[in-house]
Amino acid sequence: MPQNLNMFSLEGKTALVTGANTGLGQGICAAYAGAGANVIGVARRSCQETADKITAIGGNFTELIADLSDINVIPHIVEEAGKAYGRVDILVNNAGIIKRCDAVDVTMEDWDAVINLNEKMVFFLSQAFAKGWAADNKGGKIINIASMLSYQGGIRVPSYTASKSAVMGLTRALANEWARYNINVNAIAPGYMATNNTQNLRSDEQRSDEILSRIPAGRWGTPEDITGAAIFLASDAAAYVHGFTLAVDGGWLAR
Ligand code: NAP
């Protein structure tokens, strides 16, 4: 690797990525392994497809099965992650759900499900790793996956908008407290990406056309599209980047 690109290398680092079995999480896992990191993928189902992609490029991957809807699972995650490769250096809070429903019909059950995973887990999992990082003084990287709905209201997804707006706020709040420990807390706000998350939207021809016509790049994003930003924010190259949410959105927010 040319000398000036070494700063982007994740060689010798260990990354823990939630929601690692599919979509953006899977893309980030593969990219981190390609950049040299050991990767721990947390998911509530098998990550075999992710493992196969990483094995194919000679990388290291460990699967950690956990349901992230309840924060009581956090001690188990921290303990098992430590057993895999020793110290975790990078945490990617990627797992997230969306419930589409008119605001007047949203149930408390659906509201709690979205907030518990997209917001509460993001905070308490970050807290769990940051505690260790602040204590050993070796720093760490947290990358939260935000959304266009960290900036905008959206339509028929009020719980998701609330959670993703909180993710951008938390990214700033935690950076303010933890930058002094060399912990970089940043976020990526993906635009409209072709994953399970947007399956219903893409199946609705009218909504799909509306969205596509508004994206300056003229296409849905892919998991690969966010990997450059994910590697950057996890690497030494981002040492002085704190509390920022980087949009990878085909220009959506520029409109
Ligand atoms: P996805 O394919 O639906 O991936 C979501 C991931 O979260 C899956 O691995 C899913 O596992 C996992 N997950 C959901 N509930 C879980 C639970 N209780 N415990 C453990 N894991 C759980 O969608 P994606 O697009 O890759 O989403 C990744 C992140 O990007 C999410 O935070 C999403 O909000 C965000 N995002 C996506 C877009 C987009 O356009 N796609 C745009 C902005 C932000 P299962 O497969 O088991 O459900």
Side-chain angles (χ1 to χ4, degrees):
M1 190 180 283
Q3 191 57 38
N4 57 353
L5 290 182
N6 280 345
M7 66 170 76
F8 293 98
S9 170
L10 303 183
E11 208 68 51
K13 309 271 188 207
T14 294
L16 184 142
V17 181
T18 66
N21 57 305
T22 186
L24 304 184
Q26 181 178 80
I28 293 170
C29 286
Y32 280 0
N38 301 315
V39 180
I40 301 164
V42 182
R44 58 182 168 176
R45 65 185 88 236
S46 166
C47 295
Q48 193 56 51
E49 202 179 273
T50 309
D52 291 346
K53 281 176 189 269
I54 291 178
T55 306
I57 57 169
N60 295 323
F61 180 78
T62 297
E63 165 183 290
L64 207 171
I65 299 292
D67 185 338
L68 298 170
S69 56
D70 182 348
I71 60 166
N72 289 311
V73 78
I74 291 174
H76 170 70
I77 292 175
V78 172
E79 192 184 335
E80 291 302 310
K83 285 184 199 160
Y85 305 104
R87 187 181 196 273
V88 171
D89 307 288
I90 300 156
L91 166 66
V92 181
N93 287 306
N94 166 77
I97 51 171
I98 189 163
K99 304 263 186 194
R100 295 181 194 282
C101 179
D102 292 341
V104 288
D105 294 325
V106 171
T107 63
M108 281 191 221
E109 192 184 3
D110 279 358
W111 178 272
D112 286 346
V114 171
I115 300 297
N116 282 345
L117 177 65
N118 295 12
E119 181 179 337
K120 193 171 178 182
M121 178 58 75
V122 169
F123 175 75
F124 283 103
L125 194 57
S126 299
Q127 182 196 58
F129 282 101
K131 259 183 198 164
W133 295 342
D136 75 10
N137 217 19
K138 291 183 186 158
K141 309 276 184 196
I142 296 174
I143 296 121
N144 297 323
I145 303 301
S147 167
M148 294 297 93
L149 303 189
S150 303
Y151 301 89
Q152 301 177 315
I155 300 168
R156 302 186 68 246
V157 285
S159 57
Y160 186 80
T161 303
S163 70
K164 292 298 185 179
S165 298
V167 165
M168 190 159 80
L170 275 175
T171 298
R172 293 177 176 136
L174 299 181
N176 289 340
E177 289 201 36
W178 297 343
R180 77 186 70 149
Y181 302 118
N182 284 325
I183 298 171
N184 299 83
V185 187
N186 291 292
I188 296 170
Y192 286 81
M193 319 298 275
T195 67
N196 297 339
N197 176 287
T198 52
Q199 186 58 58
N200 292 346
L201 218 46
R202 285 179 290 122
S203 313
D204 179 337
E205 209 173 319
Q206 193 195 336
R207 279 293 286 139
S208 179
D209 287 350
E210 280 168 11
I211 287 167
L212 271 179
S213 68
R214 197 195 174 284
I215 301 174
R219 65 172 176 86
W220 291 82
T222 66
E224 288 69 35
D225 282 321
I226 71 159
T227 57
I231 291 173
F232 164 59
L233 291 175
S235 73
D236 291 345
Y240 201 59
V241 181
H242 289 283
F244 194 70
T245 298
L246 175 57
V248 180
D249 65 350
W252 176 274
L253 289 180
R255 287 288 291 265

